[in-house]
Amino acid sequence: MLLPHMRGSRKFALTGPLTVNDPEGIQVILNFMNYLWSGGREPARIYLQRTSLPVILTMAANGTYAKAMQSCEEMESLAEHMVEQWDRSANMDW
């Protein structure tokens, strides 16, 4: 969306250039993404970006996610277990 503040009475426009040609802006976004997924938040990336699993509130309430956030290995184990459970329920393999 463009905000053509100098173009007559229209307050915004949904037309215009569709590409971003600003390397500095793109670098700021990449730096933020690297910061976001570093340190103690790194295990969350495994669950949120490598799987298509939902966030289950009862697992947040009972400490399952907190335990898995202790290390990438713990989160890999949880993610693998949850993907297997999800696949079995989808295939009705109880």
Side-chain angles (χ1 to χ4, degrees):
M1 177 175 14
L2 300 175
L3 300 174
H5 63 282
M6 302 298 249
R7 293 185 187 169
S9 63
R10 293 190 310 170
K11 301 221 186 271
F12 63 89
L14 298 174
T15 61
L18 298 177
T19 59
V20 175
N21 197 11
D22 188 357
E24 186 178 340
I26 292 171
Q27 190 59 49
V28 167
I29 293 168
L30 292 173
N31 289 344
F32 173 74
M33 289 172 55
N34 288 333
Y35 168 76
L36 177 66
W37 296 122
S38 66
R41 294 174 299 274
E42 186 178 358
R45 182 180 192 171
I46 295 166
Y47 192 90
L48 296 173
Q49 289 193 335
R50 292 189 194 165
T51 72
S52 58
L53 297 170
V55 175
I56 301 169
L57 294 180
T58 53
M59 291 175 66
N62 71 12
T64 301
Y65 291 131
K67 181 177 181 279
M69 286 295 292
Q70 299 302 311
S71 71
C72 289
E73 293 79 19
E74 289 282 337
M75 187 60 78
E76 289 280 359
S77 178
L78 173 65
E80 183 178 317
H81 171 72
M82 292 303 296
V83 166
E84 288 173 5
Q85 292 288 341
W86 209 259
D87 287 346
R88 279 201 312 229
S89 71
N91 294 330
M92 296 184 194
D93 293 340
W94 297 96

